[in-house]
Amino acid sequence: MTALLTTKGLSRHFGGLRAVDGVDLALDAGEIRAVIGPNGAGKTTFVSLICGRYPPSSGRIVFDGEDITDMPAHLRVRRGIAYTFQITSVFAKLSVYDNVALPVQRTLTDGRSRGAVHHGAMDALQRVGLASRAHEQAGALAYGHQRLLEVAMGLALKPRLLILDEPTQGLSDGEIENFIALVREIASDATVLLIEHNMQVVMELAHRITVLNAGKVLAEGTPAEIRADAAVQAAYLGTATEAGT
Ligand SMILES: Nc1ncnc2c1ncn2[C@@H]1O[C@H](COP(=O)(O)OP(=O)(O)OP(=O)(O)O)[C@@H](O)[C@H]1O
Ligand SMILES: [Mg+2]
């Protein structure tokens, strides 16, 4: 199997701070990869480099065989990289429907077929369980539902790689169960890179887990391997139960 995404020596410094520090990562097509690590470990910065929000200080990023290190963010979206940010970024004044219709329009070549936009938007809303709320104002949704709307906005781009940054923050236990099923369904035709503090979600979903600590990869392995790793226990897992729930 060839990797869909690889990073080589990927680094991002903010002044003297090495937020991401020489990360080598290879993500297989179809994989669900969790990235975990303590607050400030560099997780959000790392995915910001992949989606092109910031340029790296050094290192390379290859997606589907193409070096995308210097590619602008909007072209990465066209290559199939979609992301939902840790901070909710829905358009609060627009309807739930319009929030999803906008990214659908980006995927259509003519951008004007109302039938295709409607179908794409409703399909994405259905997948996250928000179809019945299509006409509500997005800003009126509960915080957790706004996060699900963001996932729908990502899905509307028909991504090959979907990056989710703490998507379960603010979801109830029942909603988290639905979310786990949703990510499994998404992974049937996309690769998922999931930053997540909730260890139940991580352990149930991830094929492999990468642990970041102080900008570096501390460990990588299956959920069972990571659970058994003493260094991970010391750096993170010992406190993750409280932090994640
Ligand atoms: N734009 C920025 N300018 C300066 N420092 C930054 C910037 N973005 C992130 N940092 C710093 O880089 C480090 C890594 O931050 P990052 O947000 O990537 O961590 P994280 O692993 O996502 O943490 P959390 O679990 O709290 O979301 C932190 O020390 C943070 O303060
Ligand atoms: Mg973060």
Side-chain angles (χ1 to χ4, degrees):
M1 175 131 47
T2 54
L4 178 67
L5 175 81
T6 46
T7 68
K8 270 269 173 275
L10 197 63
S11 301
R12 172 70 203 204
H13 303 165
F14 295 111
L17 176 77
R18 292 162 180 244
V20 175
D21 192 10
V23 171
D24 295 338
L25 179 132
L27 198 60
D28 286 337
E31 179 177 9
I32 301 176
R33 173 73 60 95
V35 175
I36 67 172
N39 294 120
K43 305 178 298 294
T44 295
T45 306
F46 177 68
V47 298
S48 298
L49 298 174
I50 293 171
C51 70
R53 188 156 65 128
Y54 308 129
S57 305
S58 59
R60 306 308 298 175
I61 307 165
V62 174
F63 181 72
D64 195 24
E66 180 181 20
D67 190 316
I68 61 163
T69 313
D70 303 315
M71 185 182 281
H74 72 276
L75 292 181
R76 298 187 202 203
V77 172
R78 257 189 239 163
R79 293 291 192 283
I81 300 176
Y83 46 89
T84 68
F85 284 127
Q86 184 168 9
I87 315 258
T88 301
S89 57
V90 303
F91 300 101
K93 296 232 164 92
L94 294 185
S95 70
V96 168
Y97 177 87
D98 284 341
N99 267 275
V100 181
L102 288 172
V104 170
Q105 270 163 355
R106 291 174 72 173
T107 67
L108 298 174
T109 41
D110 63 13
R112 273 175 213 95
S113 161
R114 280 180 77 203
V117 171
H118 183 78
H119 183 269
M122 289 313 293
D123 179 60
L125 288 175
Q126 219 126 39
R127 288 173 81 180
V128 304
L130 287 176
S132 65
R133 315 190 66 166
H135 298 294
E136 293 179 27
Q137 206 181 35
L141 296 179
Y143 179 75
H145 290 152
Q146 294 192 29
R147 304 310 314 277
L148 288 178
L149 176 56
E150 277 191 87
V151 175
M153 291 161 73
L155 285 177
L157 295 167
K158 301 219 178 294
R160 299 172 65 200
L161 171 63
L162 180 64
I163 300 170
L164 302 168
D165 195 347
E166 298 197 29
T168 67
Q169 226 178 36
L171 296 186
S172 70
D173 288 351
E175 288 167 339
I176 284 175
E177 286 302 325
N178 290 337
F179 176 80
I180 289 172
L182 169 66
V183 174
R184 286 217 177 93
E185 191 254 326
I186 292 169
S188 66
D189 61 7
T191 304
V192 176
L193 185 57
L194 171 71
I195 297 176
E196 182 56 66
H197 279 294
N198 182 313
M199 292 315 295
Q200 181 211 345
V201 173
V202 169
M203 293 298 172
E204 281 192 38
L205 276 176
H207 300 126
R208 283 190 288 166
I209 299 170
T210 300
V211 185
L212 280 187
N213 190 39
K216 291 187 158 74
V217 175
L218 177 71
E220 194 169 283
T222 63
E225 287 165 350
I226 293 302
R227 221 194 297 256
D229 189 301
V232 177
Q233 289 287 346
Y236 181 59
L237 283 183
T239 59
T241 327
E242 297 102 71
T245 47

